[in-house]
Amino acid sequence: MNAMLETPELPAVFDGVKLAAVAAVLYVIVRCLNLKSPTAPPDLYFQDSGLSRFLLKSCPLLTKEYIPPLIWGKSGHMQTALYGKMGRVRSPHPYGHRKFITMSDGATSTFDLFEPLAEHCVGDDVTMVICPGIANHSEKQYIRTFVDYAQKNGYRCAVLNHLGALPNIELTSPRMFTYGCTWEFGAMVNYIKKAYPFTQLVVVGFSLGGNIVCKYLGEIQANQERVLCCVSVCQGYSALRAQETFMQWDQCRRFYNFLMADNMKKIILSHRQALFGDHVKKPQSLEDSDLSRLYTATSLMQIDDNVMRKFHGYTSLKEYYEEESCMRYLHRIYVPLMLVNAADDPLVHESLLTIPKSLSG
């Protein structure tokens, strides 16, 4: 009899459990998508100058409140995943010509050249020289979108294909792109300067490419000739300082580290005959055992230590990161320089942003 009296209460209890489950799911969605974060204009740090005041006046986007896309736009993780894989719903396919440059060590560097589709707003001949992110090239969605927009606004674009990144281009020397090697980017810039003697340059780098272009400009002052300005997007400035944060689970950086390391392993192993083959004249410090350690690597730091640094003869990972990072070259850049970072970038820890901020003092 007691059991019969209690049964009507079960549906109410069950509804309460369902309600709690729905509430828990909604809470997780709100937290993961960061839906409660307030909108705000960008934080700007700059040296007060006539150019800075002109930019702030003529480009209201710099001071306007940033309102991201609904639902997914407030999460750095969602932006990284969705835009990285899909681009802007339908990525354009700009038409360009692939150029090949033979480097002094026998490496074959390539870049894609895209001519402007309209006249520049001031009638000048301006070429954007673009360096993509880690293991990227001209065929990536974000690069295609950027190039298409630039072409339609009167800019010629030259996009570097990182050495070893294109799956259909074989390596012709026992090395591939590294974190801060500027050789291929410099060869592309020199080609553009010779082919278009009256063009002016806008230098653009994304992520790892931002490190390369800033390092390139700061290495030799002559590299800044005919450069109107430089824009670096979402780089970390110091690999030495970033390596510790890349091993932390905060913002899932350790997970991203693993994914990028896995992609790097696939690229390196796709070129293993050119890099590790018996007929190859490898760098003295690069040994066959390094290939075995590559298979078990789970982080970019392990890959850099066992393989990448040895392409250029660095004796330690610390030396490699110190020499290859642009942080020590930034103060040598005299052309206008814009360093853009996202506050919610899951890869670049906020402590690294003190580096660009210090330049505005």
Side-chain angles (χ1 to χ4, degrees):
M1 190 69 177
N2 290 337
M4 293 180 61
L5 292 174
E6 292 174 359
T7 50
E9 299 178 9
L10 289 176
V13 172
F14 184 65
D15 288 343
V17 172
K18 287 197 296 184
L19 186 61
V22 171
V25 170
L26 289 175
Y27 174 77
V28 170
I29 291 175
V30 169
R31 287 296 301 271
C32 290
L33 297 182
N34 207 21
L35 296 180
K36 294 188 70 176
S37 66
T39 59
D43 293 326
L44 302 177
Y45 302 87
F46 56 90
Q47 293 179 348
D48 187 27
S49 66
L51 176 61
S52 299
R53 290 191 291 272
F54 172 78
L55 288 175
L56 292 174
K57 183 179 179 180
S58 60
C59 187
L61 190 66
L62 293 174
T63 53
K64 184 180 178 181
E65 181 184 25
Y66 173 63
I67 302 177
L70 192 63
I71 306 297
W72 61 270
K74 288 190 175 184
S75 168
H77 303 290
M78 292 296 292
Q79 292 177 53
T80 300
L82 290 177
Y83 193 79
K85 289 296 181 184
M86 298 189 305
R88 287 184 178 273
V89 183
R90 186 183 301 168
S91 295
H93 291 270
Y95 177 76
H97 297 279
R98 182 152 295 165
K99 304 294 183 179
F100 296 79
I101 301 175
T102 301
M103 306 297 290
S104 60
D105 65 345
T108 302
S109 177
T110 70
F111 70 92
D112 286 18
L113 186 62
F114 305 86
E115 292 296 334
L117 299 178
E119 186 177 350
H120 193 271
C121 61
V122 296
D124 290 344
D125 185 313
V126 184
T127 303
M128 287 191 176
V129 283
I130 303 165
C131 192
I134 184 172
N136 287 176
H137 44 73
S138 62
E139 298 173 10
K140 291 294 183 179
Q141 288 95 331
Y142 73 97
I143 294 294
R144 296 207 311 256
T145 301
F146 184 83
V147 167
D148 179 71
Y149 186 82
Q151 281 183 294
K152 291 175 179 177
N153 283 273
Y155 293 91
R156 180 184 300 106
C157 294
V159 183
L160 180 69
N161 300 309
H162 285 301
L163 201 61
L166 281 170
N168 59 335
I169 302 293
E170 295 290 333
L171 292 178
T172 55
S173 74
R175 71 173 178 90
M176 53 185 292
F177 77 93
T178 57
Y179 175 64
C181 180
T182 61
W183 298 350
E184 288 76 47
F185 184 76
M188 179 181 75
V189 171
N190 289 337
Y191 179 100
I192 295 297
K193 286 182 176 180
K194 291 178 182 178
Y196 304 94
F198 299 106
T199 194
Q200 295 177 297
L201 305 178
V202 173
V203 179
V204 181
F206 295 93
S207 191
L208 173 140
N211 178 74
I212 289 176
V213 300
C214 288
K215 182 171 177 281
Y216 168 77
L217 291 178
E219 284 177 331
I220 305 172
Q221 192 165 348
N223 291 345
Q224 300 177 45
E225 294 176 359
R226 292 166 58 185
V227 173
L228 292 174
C229 64
C230 173
V231 181
S232 161
V233 183
C234 292
Q235 67 151 308
Y237 307 100
S238 171
L240 190 63
R241 288 171 57 172
Q243 65 172 331
E244 183 178 340
T245 68
F246 254 49
M247 297 303 291
Q248 298 169 351
W249 282 101
D250 178 48
Q251 290 291 315
C252 300
R253 274 187 296 276
R254 183 64 182 91
F255 178 66
Y256 286 113
N257 189 357
F258 173 80
L259 293 180
M260 290 190 293
D262 189 59
N263 185 51
M264 279 299 300
K265 283 200 296 188
K266 291 176 182 176
I267 294 174
I268 295 171
L269 292 174
S270 71
H271 297 292
R272 58 180 169 269
Q273 284 303 316
L275 297 173
F276 299 96
D278 295 334
H279 65 287
V280 174
K281 186 179 179 181
K282 300 184 286 288
Q284 290 184 349
S285 56
L286 193 61
E287 302 174 355
D288 292 335
S289 58
D290 294 321
L291 180 60
S292 300
R293 285 190 285 268
L294 175 66
Y295 282 105
T296 59
T298 60
S299 72
L300 288 174
M301 285 70 77
Q302 290 174 318
I303 295 175
D304 287 342
D305 194 21
N306 292 321
V307 178
M308 308 304 283
R309 69 173 176 85
K310 298 179 180 181
F311 289 143
H312 294 280
Y314 291 110
T315 58
S316 68
L317 186 64
K318 181 176 183 292
E319 181 190 19
Y320 171 63
Y321 282 161
E322 284 180 339
E323 295 294 325
E324 297 278 289
S325 294
C326 74
M327 184 177 74
R328 58 200 295 263
Y329 296 95
L330 290 174
H331 68 282
R332 302 182 191 174
I333 299 176
Y334 302 107
V335 298
L337 173 64
M338 177 177 283
L339 305 172
V340 182
N341 285 93
D344 61 350
D345 191 329
L347 295 177
V348 180
H349 191 268
E350 60 182 358
S351 63
L352 298 172
L353 301 185
T354 60
I355 298 170
K357 289 176 183 178
S358 67
L359 298 174
S360 63

